[in-house]
Amino acid sequence: MIDANAPATPGTATPAPTAPAIPVEPYRPANLSPSHTAEWIEIEKANLAAGKTTPEEATRRFDALGASPEQRGPDTRSDEVKQFDAAFPPAKPEDFIIRYHEPGQFAPPMTPEIAAFDQSARAWLSGGEFSRDSGNALVAQIEQTVRATKGMTPEQLESYGLVEFAKLEKAYGETLDEKLHAAALMIDALDKKQPGLKALLRTQGIGDSALVANILMGQAERYWMRRTGR
């Protein structure tokens, strides 16, 4: 048995201990929220730029953090856009909560049709760069709207739309047209990538809901800020 405390043989140098070979594992801090994940990605990017990590190690860490190609590249965002991203970090498709059953009921099996819609809905939310909170708020409001308009006749839906639009006019005044236009452009861009969003908003008064429109207009502001800086 080797005695670690035994003195070295006189006249010989004490050999340096050799560390066992340990495989480099992908780096990922535990239990990170989306906003903290984004912060860690920025830290890793700064470490790479400063030469504190090698490109290979940075790639492993970016992969573990789920960083997109855009997140790994040079940060060209304005200070205002950085503030938006910090306050409303875009979520991943799987981060959103979408139910296809009433609260308290068992979830039905995912039919091919439901699975296809679910994939589209998550693509719209992710493509629109919704944060997890704002995306789930939109989903919840759509669910409430569908319950409220269920069984309405076409005439009742038309009246519902007029009442909801009056609410928006009262809330936004002369700025409403500009905000609605920005939201419409965002919706058009998302629908071109994943068709069906426009059709959904025309269903059961969803797009007429003042609360749904309010969430979409707020998101459109962030969506275009990230692209135009204003």
Side-chain angles (χ1 to χ4, degrees):
M1 180 180 293
I2 299 174
D3 184 357
N5 296 317
T9 302
T12 62
T14 303
T18 302
I22 301 176
V24 177
E25 296 294 333
Y27 173 75
R28 180 172 180 79
N31 302 321
L32 289 183
S33 67
S35 60
H36 287 158
T37 298
E39 290 175 4
W40 270 106
I41 290 172
E42 291 303 314
I43 290 171
E44 295 304 333
K45 190 187 300 183
N47 287 340
L48 175 61
K52 295 180 179 179
T53 55
T54 65
E56 294 76 16
E57 176 63 16
T59 296
R60 284 193 290 269
R61 294 187 174 201
F62 283 140
D63 290 345
L65 289 163
S68 67
E70 293 78 12
Q71 288 176 308
R72 303 177 192 214
D75 192 348
T76 59
R77 298 173 299 164
S78 66
D79 290 341
E80 191 167 10
V81 172
K82 290 179 183 179
Q83 291 175 1
F84 269 117
D85 289 347
F88 306 98
K92 297 179 182 179
E94 61 270 21
D95 290 335
F96 302 109
I97 301 173
I98 305 177
R99 291 184 295 265
Y100 300 97
H101 57 92
E102 293 294 329
Q105 295 181 350
F106 289 107
M110 291 283 277
T111 64
E113 293 76 16
I114 292 178
F117 175 80
D118 186 79
Q119 181 180 10
S120 294
R122 295 179 186 281
W124 296 326
L125 293 167
S126 177
E129 297 168 355
F130 282 81
S131 67
R132 179 161 47 185
D133 288 343
S134 61
N136 287 336
L138 178 62
V139 171
Q141 190 54 55
I142 288 175
E143 292 174 350
Q144 291 180 27
T145 300
V146 170
R147 285 196 292 269
T149 60
K150 185 178 181 180
M152 283 189 180
T153 65
E155 292 76 15
Q156 289 172 327
L157 284 171
E158 183 177 358
S159 297
Y160 168 81
L162 293 173
V163 171
E164 294 297 291
F165 187 75
K167 294 178 183 177
L168 293 174
E169 286 184 314
K170 184 177 181 180
Y172 291 101
E174 296 180 355
T175 66
L176 178 59
D177 286 347
E178 181 180 356
K179 291 181 178 296
L180 286 174
H181 182 63
L185 290 176
M186 179 186 72
I187 291 165
D188 183 65
L190 297 176
D191 191 80
K192 286 178 179 177
K193 292 182 179 180
Q194 189 80 27
L197 178 56
K198 291 181 180 179
L200 173 68
L201 293 173
R202 289 192 292 266
T203 303
Q204 287 191 241
I206 291 173
D208 290 329
S209 164
L211 293 176
V212 168
N214 185 61
I215 295 172
L216 289 171
M217 288 189 293
Q219 186 60 29
E221 179 181 354
R222 295 185 280 274
Y223 181 87
W224 294 116
M225 171 62 71
R226 288 177 172 126
R227 284 154 180 77
T228 66
R230 56 185 178 85

